[in-house]
Amino acid sequence: MKAAVVTTFDQKPQYQDFPAPTPKTNQELIHVLAASVNHRVQAQADGSHYTSDGQLPLIPGLDGVGRLADGRLAYFVTSDPVYGALAEQTVTDRRRIIPLAADTDAAKVAASMNPAMSSWMALKDRFNGDLAGKKVLILGATGHAGSLAIQISRYLGATTVIAVGRNQQKLAQLPADQKVSLLANDDDFTTAIAANADADIVLDYLWGEAARRTMLALLPARKGHQLLTWIEIGSMAGAALSLPAAALRAVDFTLIGSGQGSIAPQTFLRELPELARLLSQGQFNTASTTLPLAQVTANWTSADDKRLVFTMNEA
């Protein structure tokens, strides 16, 4: 079969032949139709992600849409350390498969499921999906996952959504109630963030200096004992931050992480079918570019900030 293959971590995946997988006990063979590339997949392919065990060769790709042996269409999350989603065929644990409607747009679901999953799972796991009356601040709102987090927060009942991001053009286009630029000078940024000191939830895709700057503007401005739940999801702005201890002691503040390893597998299996259905219906969307898998090496990174989706010919 053809696949995107990583044989060395200092080179982009190469489109080449690779032995077809043989399902093991509790695995299902999947004929892949579409799979996406994102920062997490790129980190998998260059060995920099914290889950990497250094094993090579491997086919990258965390999820996708494909057909099962019985012809059903399904969304899947990969589980095999060698066989990822960017191949004509892959295998995964049967418990990581979610059936889809026969008329589902495979490329559309492949493009949106992973970035939508981050906020969907965080909010479902920590708040049971009920944001009625909540004010949500999204740090890193101009990224794919962040912009979907706005749509998802709205859908789950958030009263107010504040978008914080760096890309001025994308920030202006987001359907948020308020928008704060990370490029603003310190005084203007502090004033804008402090005006939203009554936020209930922060979805943080950035961490690093961006998160520190936001915390130091937000926390001192809070009054009373209203709980602020800060959910750390990504680290696009840095892997660490330095924060005064007093900033945490002065307010009712909970800092938690959400991602692979922090949410139980059974929670993913319980909550993802509804998300897949909503994506299939076009409830949440992200801009994407669809290309044949044969072009994966030349297009491993997106030139226009759209989500990259690679498709395979259906047998």
Side-chain angles (χ1 to χ4, degrees), residues 21-174:
T22 300
K24 301 174 184 176
T25 303
N26 296 323
Q27 284 187 333
E28 185 88 16
L29 180 67
I30 298 172
H31 295 271
V32 183
L33 298 178
S36 68
V37 170
N38 52 50
H39 293 296
R40 170 68 175 82
V41 174
Q42 290 166 345
Q44 177 192 26
D46 66 20
S48 64
H49 196 262
Y50 68 89
T51 61
S52 176
D53 61 5
Q55 180 179 349
L56 292 174
L58 67 82
I59 298 170
L62 300 175
D63 63 347
V65 175
R67 288 202 183 278
L68 308 181
D70 61 8
R72 287 181 300 158
L73 200 63
Y75 170 78
F76 65 91
V77 177
T78 58
S79 63
D80 192 276
V82 175
Y83 288 96
L86 290 164
E88 292 177 331
Q89 296 179 33
T90 192
V91 287
T92 194
D93 190 310
R94 291 191 178 100
R95 295 169 295 182
R96 294 179 174 232
I97 294 171
I98 299 170
L100 300 174
D103 60 352
T104 296
D105 185 322
K108 186 176 182 179
V109 173
S112 299
M113 190 69 156
N114 184 273
M117 190 188 307
S118 62
S119 58
W120 180 265
M121 290 306 306
L123 296 172
K124 284 285 189 173
D125 185 53
R126 306 299 183 178
F127 293 92
N128 295 315
D130 182 8
L131 300 190
K134 301 293 186 184
K135 187 172 186 176
V136 181
L137 186 150
I138 299 170
L139 184 57
T142 55
H144 294 296
S147 60
L148 280 164
I150 296 174
Q151 301 173 48
I152 288 170
S153 296
R154 291 274 197 217
Y155 179 83
L156 294 177
T159 303
T160 306
V161 179
I162 304 100
V164 182
R166 186 177 301 276
N167 187 315
Q168 299 282 77
Q169 183 177 1
K170 290 187 68 175
L171 190 64
Q173 297 170 352
L174 293 176

Side-chain angles (χ1 to χ4, degrees), residues 219-252:
L219 297 181
R222 292 179 69 81
K223 302 183 185 302
H225 298 284
Q226 177 192 2
L227 172 64
L228 172 64
T229 302
W230 189 293
I231 306 178
E232 205 292 304
I233 300 174
S235 53
M236 294 300 296
L241 62 78
S242 176
L243 190 69
L248 305 182
R249 296 198 301 268
V251 296
D252 191 356

